Amino acid sequence: MFLLSKIIFCGDINGQTCSVSATDLMTGTTVRNFKGAGGLAANSLSLISDQYLIGAQKDSPVLYCWSLRGKDQQQKKIICAGKINALCATPDGHFVIVAVKEELFVYQLSSGCLLTKLERHFQPVTCIRTSSDSSYFISGGEDGIVLVWFLHELLNFTSLGLLSSEGMTNKEPKHSWSHHTAQITDICCSYSRINGKCVTCSTDQTCKVYEVLSGTLLVSLVFDTPLWSVAMDPAQYFLFIGGDNGNIYETRLYEKPSQIISRNAEQGPEFIGHSAKVNRLCVSVDGFALVSGSYDSTVKVWHVISKQCMRTVTGKGPINNLLVALTPRGLISDEYSLKPIEAFKREVDSDSSNERGSIAITITNTTKREHLDYDTSMESTLKTFLSKDEDYIDSTEEVKRLKSINENMYNYAVDAIFKSLTH
């Protein structure tokens, strides 16, 4: 049976040999190394579609964007407003959310425009996650607060010009969860999009499961160690939690709620092998492999069913970033054009925010960026069409003729139906 290959992208704090390494999950061979940024900040590595890899340099306002296309190894530096705490790009590759202290900045990648700034956290943001359909993103901070933001609502506020003088949107988050009492260390969104679940973990030794649409707290799990990472399989059957003691715990989400609400993890760890805190967890798209990154400088690949460690990859420092994805197109083929990524703007452009219908698009087989205005383009199209008077008149008469034929056919059908009913 043909198996889709999967790639592990991981980065450590030191970044001595490379900033990010790409490793084949099945064979353990290194596919490519991405250099230049040194060590990356925690929770600051993300894929942009299947074309780019973006990461934030540790203790720096600089973003590094690496092309996955092998023939050019394009690398781009982007300067942000301040030292970056966390970032996440939407899976569709259109937007990226960057956290600088307590603020969240939403950028459009193709134009570099700063669409909005959000300031609802009281302490620095520690992690950001987006949904699989790019409809919403979730942010967590050192204040223990988790906020759910619907992206289309934020963009509507921006297009309508409902921004303050500093570019801040007055839009409140869809949900605000304050059930944790300490720093949020990780967030996981299910594959079920808006109808799915969201899982958060914290150093307060609890893990909580929410329903995204309603904002309801479904499950609260209590452990005897601070928690640093959480992951969920695509079917939402199993929940994996990484502890400060190096152990990985498993909880079955299909059990009855009365069996798992606010229970203590007395059954012990399911995956044992790390000697330091498990800082990152990811599950492969087929649900068979669990990948863990630890402060003991190792990345381990576990078989979910048997709980056995299949492979161990040793790094040069504590692992603080980890991604598992199907092999991106850029690592397989060079025969495609790259989407444009522009330098980020520092402030929201108040003039551009009031221009309705202005978007940035990518022209096929070129990196040239064009801006289209819906009103202008429609007006020019109508003028071109109406300038051809004869064709326009002929088209109008043809429409009238077809309407007349349709009306006669309808009347005939109705008469025939009623006649059959009366006989």
Side-chain angles (χ1 to χ4, degrees), residues 340-393:
I341 294 182
E342 299 294 331
F344 292 166
K345 298 181 180 179
R346 291 294 186 94
E347 298 294 335
V348 176
D349 191 348
S350 58
D351 295 332
S352 63
S353 64
N354 292 325
E355 294 178 1
R356 300 291 302 277
S358 180
I359 60 173
I361 64 171
T362 304
I363 307 300
T364 306
N365 296 328
T366 179
T367 58
K368 182 180 178 182
R369 179 169 50 85
E370 298 288 347
H371 290 274
L372 296 182
D373 184 84
Y374 285 119
D375 298 332
T376 305
S377 59
M378 286 299 295
E379 183 179 357
S380 61
T381 302
L382 287 173
K383 285 181 179 180
T384 303
F385 179 74
L386 294 176
S387 62
K388 301 179 181 181
D389 294 336
E390 294 181 359
D391 295 341
Y392 176 72
I393 294 174

Side-chain angles (χ1 to χ4, degrees), residues 30-49:
T30 301
V31 178
R32 189 177 302 171
N33 289 326
F34 302 90
K35 304 178 180 180
L40 299 182
N43 287 310
S44 67
L45 183 65
S46 188
L47 281 171
I48 300 176
S49 299

Side-chain angles (χ1 to χ4, degrees), residues 65 214 272 331 366:
C65 188
S214 64
I272 303 175
L331 296 179
T366 179

